[in-house]
Amino acid sequence: MARNQEKAGGLLNRWTTFKSSLRGPQVKKRPRFASECTSLPEAEQLRRALVGDITTKITEIQNAQLGEHRIRELNDEINKLLKQKYQWELQIVKLGGKSHAGRTFSEEGKMLPDSEGYIYFGAAKDLPGVRELFVVPEKKSKRKSILEMHRNIDIDYYGIVDDKRIREIEDRQEKKLRTEAIQKYDEQVQKKDQGADVTNEDDSSDGYESESPPQ
């Protein structure tokens, strides 16, 4: 009986070991501070686990049915993890690893100008008191003061114009009209003279033909 129990225990141990090998290397507990990690492979592994946690929580926060309290809690957790992720990426560079300064999770959220880097994700963007902060107010046209309105008003607005300036305008217009009238008159006289010459030629030709020969 005891031998059977030993065999069963051995089989269970081998099965447990086999399952562990399928899961891959176990990620150790993340240190509180990234600077405590001095191994580059370990730092890379811990960062990947951190990114996985952030992705999971961002997916979860898309559900607006979670309730306001849980959504706010999740959003705080995501922002906390993002700060940790940034610290781990700095430590990886210090340990001689590659920079991970490419795509960031901030692209999936919204950040207020004065929020000091705090980002709202998923349903958190539609929470009461938050949604209103992202509404861009319409720009109202500023009414001009009486002083500003009078700055662009000159004497022309009141119909007060310099007499000398008016005379110059009138003289130019008068010369233009006079020139046009003289030109028009000359054209009419020229046409009239041409018509009179044609008439005289016709009369002269008719008189010659009707003249009877001398007796």
Side-chain angles (χ1 to χ4, degrees):
M1 186 70 178
R3 188 172 180 81
N4 291 336
Q5 290 179 349
E6 290 178 1
K7 287 182 178 180
L11 289 172
L12 180 62
N13 290 334
R14 286 197 296 272
W15 171 246
T16 304
T17 303
F18 175 71
K19 285 180 65 177
S20 298
S21 64
L22 291 178
R23 293 174 184 171
Q26 298 297 312
V27 179
K28 65 179 293 186
K29 185 178 179 181
R30 245 187 337 261
R32 184 176 181 184
F33 300 104
S35 57
E36 296 177 3
C37 180
T38 56
S39 170
L40 178 58
E42 183 180 333
E44 290 279 9
Q45 189 178 18
L46 291 171
R47 177 194 169 276
R48 284 194 295 271
L50 188 59
V51 170
D53 292 343
I54 295 172
T55 303
T56 301
K57 291 183 183 296
I58 289 179
T59 302
E60 183 181 356
I61 203 173
Q62 306 301 321
N63 184 8
Q65 304 299 323
L66 293 174
E68 181 179 345
H69 177 74
R70 178 54 183 160
I71 291 173
R72 291 186 184 276
E73 185 179 57
L74 266 175
N75 205 72
D76 290 340
E77 291 174 2
I78 293 170
N79 277 271
K80 183 178 179 181
L81 290 174
L82 286 174
K83 291 180 180 179
Q84 293 180 16
K85 171 178 167 291
Y86 176 71
Q87 295 299 326
W88 278 100
E89 289 172 352
L90 290 179
Q91 182 64 12
I92 288 172
V93 173
K94 289 180 181 178
L95 293 174
K98 65 177 183 179
S99 173
H100 294 277
R103 175 182 173 277
T104 60
F105 288 98
S106 59
E107 298 171 358
E108 302 180 21
K110 284 187 177 181
M111 182 170 56
L112 293 172
D114 301 327
S115 60
E116 297 182 356
Y118 190 88
I119 304 172
Y120 293 89
F121 293 90
K125 293 180 287 188
D126 294 323
L127 289 173
V130 177
R131 179 175 54 249
E132 293 79 8
L133 298 175
F134 291 109
V135 176
V136 180
E138 295 181 0
K139 293 184 179 180
K140 296 181 178 179
S141 56
K142 184 181 178 183
R143 294 185 62 183
K144 293 183 179 181
S145 63
I146 297 177
L147 179 61
E148 291 175 334
M149 293 173 65
H150 279 78
R151 284 177 182 170
N152 299 324
I153 295 177
D154 54 14
I155 58 176
D156 290 339
Y157 178 81
Y158 298 101
I160 303 174
V161 187
D162 186 10
D163 290 341
K164 183 179 179 181
R165 182 175 152 196
I166 292 178
R167 286 197 298 270
E168 291 176 353
I169 296 173
E170 290 178 346
D171 290 342
R172 287 197 299 269
Q173 188 66 18
E174 185 178 353
K175 289 179 180 179
K176 180 181 177 183
L177 293 174
R178 186 184 298 112
T179 302
E180 291 176 354
I182 292 173
Q183 184 178 359
K184 186 176 181 181
Y185 176 78
D186 290 342
E187 291 175 355
Q188 291 176 349
V189 170
Q190 187 177 0
K191 289 180 180 179
K192 187 176 180 181
D193 292 342
Q194 290 176 354
D197 292 342
V198 172
T199 303
N200 291 335
E201 289 177 0
D202 291 342
D203 293 343
S204 174
S205 176
D206 293 342
Y208 178 78
E209 291 178 354
S210 60
E211 186 178 356
S212 56
Q215 298 293 332

